[in-house]
């Protein structure tokens, strides 16, 4: 999974193509739980590019997008938000796949 490098990159990615941004952090135990299944999810839903957003590196972005719990997912296609799976709760592989299929 590609890691977001800058706000400029976020803006460019958000505006073109289909992307799912995973808001996470290295210290987050619930984020580590889903980590092993993420490559499988990325492969299954390869019409999307998955981007890892470190919450600690992009706190202002998280605040502006109302990301107050991690792990959280926000999907965009060509500048339009398709959907969000945002909460502080632990997420299962099935819940993540259900979210993506509902986009």
């Amino acid at each position: 999974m590609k890691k977001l490098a800058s706000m400029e990159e976020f803006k460019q990615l958000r505006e073109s193509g289909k992307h799912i941004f995973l808001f996470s952090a290295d210290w987050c135990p619930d984020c580590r739980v889903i980590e092993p299944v993420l490559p499988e999810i990325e492969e299954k839903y390869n019409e999307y590019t998955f981007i890892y957003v470190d919450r600690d590196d992009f706190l202002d972005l998280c605040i502006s997008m109302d990301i107050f719990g991690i792990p959280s997912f926000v999907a965009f296609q060509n500048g339009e938000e398709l959907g969000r799976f945002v909460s502080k709760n632990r997420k299962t592989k099935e819940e993540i796949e259900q979210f993506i299929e509902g986009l």
Side-chain angles (χ1 to χ4, degrees):
M1 184 176 300
K2 180 176 174 24
K3 188 172 181 179
L4 186 68
S6 69
M7 274 302 298
E8 188 57 43
E9 182 182 37
F10 172 78
K11 291 172 186 172
Q12 289 172 352
L13 292 170
R14 179 186 63 194
E15 294 303 317
S16 63
K18 292 173 78 170
H19 298 88
I20 295 179
F21 295 90
L22 164 60
F23 292 84
S24 186
D26 292 341
W27 51 262
C28 165
D30 291 341
C31 303
R32 300 292 70 81
V33 167
I34 64 168
E35 206 168 64
V37 301
L38 290 175
E40 187 180 329
I41 291 172
E42 281 186 271
E43 188 176 319
K44 184 174 181 179
Y45 300 99
N46 60 15
E47 68 270 26
Y48 293 96
T49 302
F50 288 76
I51 309 294
Y52 178 92
V53 181
D54 189 302
R55 174 210 166 275
D56 295 335
D57 293 341
F58 293 96
L59 192 53
D60 290 342
L61 174 61
C62 291
I63 291 168
S64 71
M65 292 187 61
D66 295 326
I67 309 291
F68 295 114
I70 54 173
S72 287
F73 298 82
V74 181
F76 284 93
Q77 180 174 358
N78 299 327
E80 180 183 341
E81 184 177 312
L82 298 177
R84 53 178 47 224
F85 186 14
V86 175
S87 70
K88 62 181 173 63
N89 301 325
R90 180 174 287 183
K91 286 140 183 90
T92 65
K93 177 179 183 253
E94 292 75 23
E95 289 172 328
I96 297 165
E97 289 181 342
Q98 188 176 15
F99 158 71
I100 296 170
E101 287 171 13
L103 294 173

